[in-house]
């Protein structure tokens, strides 16, 4: 099925979610060897003013930063021989827990962080400790982290981001984010996120993630892009022009039942739906974003929503919506 009829089928649950006021608006894009199709509907902002959602709307991609920025750069460093993925983070962060040579954090590897196979907690409100980004970086490196079972953890990618900063000698926000991507966007051109309680304003075009804001750039969140930039990126991974063969292979290589290097892999109950082929990888972002790449079909899709606008404290149904869209796309031509 060509992209246009396919996207019409997949957009039906998105349109229903907007009509039910579960999400303010959304943009859905599909790309394959026959072309691409994009549909946009609803509002990019509803509070304190209303703006329409369009194909050109920029989105806070949240945790898609992990796979669009941090993962390929760490994998490229390994491919070039600058780091050993199975070696500890101390290759680039020798001062990690520097006052305790036996600390477990000093043995955590780059590969474990990429696959979320470490004992770090899922998330910690680093931003509550202050607004000095260098002090917060030092705290992340010297904090005695409480070890637990492996979970999907922002801390893994905060540390990977710090490793990139050390290698390149500049902050993440001073690095080139990638074609079509940015670290901020014009407020009037962006999908609004939350009416932030601690910043005291509706966020639009500035990063929603609290820790990324306080750190003034981090490896786990912070990128902005419109739909076509994501589809371009996905097309580059599908046709091999977007990264080296080795980096793309690592992005697809399983590290666990649910994850590869950086990405999720298709598994029961995942965000890409139950009909996604085993060769599919994907990732989501807290703000309501997601990108999935089906290497078997040579197809990718991105669903971008502003589901946390104006508040995250609401059941938007985003989990079921993502799965419904994925099933509609992958259920067959």
């Amino acid at each position: 099925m060509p992209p246009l009829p396919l996207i019409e089928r997949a957009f039906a649950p998105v349109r229903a979610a907007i009509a039910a006021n579960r999400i303010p608006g959304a943009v859905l894009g599909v790309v394959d060897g026959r072309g691409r199709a994009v549909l946009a509907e609803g509002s990019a902002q509803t509070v304190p003013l209303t703006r329409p959602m369009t194909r050109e709307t920029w989105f806070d991609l949240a945790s898609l930063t992990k796979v669009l920025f941090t993962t390929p750069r760490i994998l490229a460093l390994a491919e070039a021989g600058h780091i050993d993925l199975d070696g500890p983070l101390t290759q680039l962060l020798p001062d990690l827990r520097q006052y305790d040579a036996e600390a477990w954090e000093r043995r955590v590897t780059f590969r474990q962080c990429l696959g979320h196979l470490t004992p770090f907690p899922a998330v910690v409100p680093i931003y509550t400790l202050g607004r000095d980004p260098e002090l917060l970086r030092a705290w992340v490196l010297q904090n005695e982290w409480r070890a637990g079972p492996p979970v999907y953890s922002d801390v893994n990618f905060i540390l990977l981001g710090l490793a990139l900063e050390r290698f390149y000698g500049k902050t993440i926000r001073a690095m080139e984010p990638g074609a079509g991507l940015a670290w901020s966007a014009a407020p009037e051109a962006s999908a609004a996120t939350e009416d932030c309680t601690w910043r005291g304003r509706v966020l639009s075009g500035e990063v929603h993630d609290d820790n990324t804001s306080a750190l003034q750039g981090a490896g786990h969140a912070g990128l902005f892009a419109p739909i076509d930039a994501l589809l371009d990126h996905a097309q580059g991974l599908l046709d091999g022009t977007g990264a080296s063969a080795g980096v793309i292979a690592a992005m697809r290589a399983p590290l666990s039942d649910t994850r590869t290097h950086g990405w999720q892999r298709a598994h029961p109950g995942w965000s890409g739906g139950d009909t996604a082929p085993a060769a599919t990888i994907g990732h989501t972002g807290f703000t309501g974003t997601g990108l999935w790449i089906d290497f078997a079909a040579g197809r990718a899709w991105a669903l971008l929503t502003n589901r946390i606008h104006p508040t995250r404290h609401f059941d938007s149904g985003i989990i079921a919506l993502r799965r419904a869209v994925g099933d509609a796309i992958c259920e067959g031509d």
Side-chain angles (χ1 to χ4, degrees), residues 66 113 116 118 120-123 151-158 220:
K66 293 180 172 77
C113 286
H116 297 284
T118 74
F120 289 112
V123 65
V151 294
Y152 173 75
S153 171
D154 282 350
V155 179
N156 289 322
F157 275 76
I158 290 174
H220 70 294

Side-chain angles (χ1 to χ4, degrees), residues 204-240:
S204 185
E206 65 174 301
V207 66
H208 171 265
D209 183 85
D210 301 310
N211 288 336
T212 303
S213 176
L215 288 162
Q216 295 182 23
H220 70 294
L223 280 181
F224 287 77
I227 188 76
D228 281 292
L230 287 190
L231 298 179
D232 289 344
H233 184 90
Q235 185 61 58
L237 296 182
L238 286 169
D239 63 25

Side-chain angles (χ1 to χ4, degrees), residues 140-288:
V140 169
L141 291 171
Q142 304 310 327
N143 181 51
E144 184 176 343
W145 294 94
R146 178 178 296 178
V151 294
Y152 173 75
S153 171
D154 282 350
V155 179
N156 289 322
F157 275 76
I158 290 174
L159 287 167
L160 291 175
L162 292 179
L164 289 175
E165 291 185 336
R166 288 291 180 84
F167 181 83
Y168 289 108
K170 62 178 73 174
T171 65
I172 281 180
R173 284 190 182 173
M175 298 179 198
E176 171 58 41
L181 307 173
W183 297 118
S184 63
E188 66 276 10
S190 304
T193 55
E194 197 163 20
D195 187 353
C196 181
T197 54
W198 70 278
R199 280 174 273 186
R201 58 184 177 274
V202 173
L203 304 178
S204 185
E206 65 174 301
V207 66
H208 171 265
D209 183 85
D210 301 310
N211 288 336
T212 303
S213 176
L215 288 162
Q216 295 182 23
H220 70 294
L223 280 181
F224 287 77
I227 188 76
D228 281 292
L230 287 190
L231 298 179
D232 289 344
H233 184 90
Q235 185 61 58
L237 296 182
L238 286 169
D239 63 25
T241 62
S244 72
V247 167
I248 294 173
M251 290 179 178
R252 300 180 61 185
L255 292 182
S256 69
D257 290 341
T258 61
R259 297 200 174 272
T260 70
H261 294 80
W263 295 79
Q264 277 195 318
R265 55 187 293 223
H267 62 273
W270 85 308
S271 62
D274 290 333
T275 60
T280 309
I281 61 174
H283 209 284
T284 62
F286 182 77
T287 51

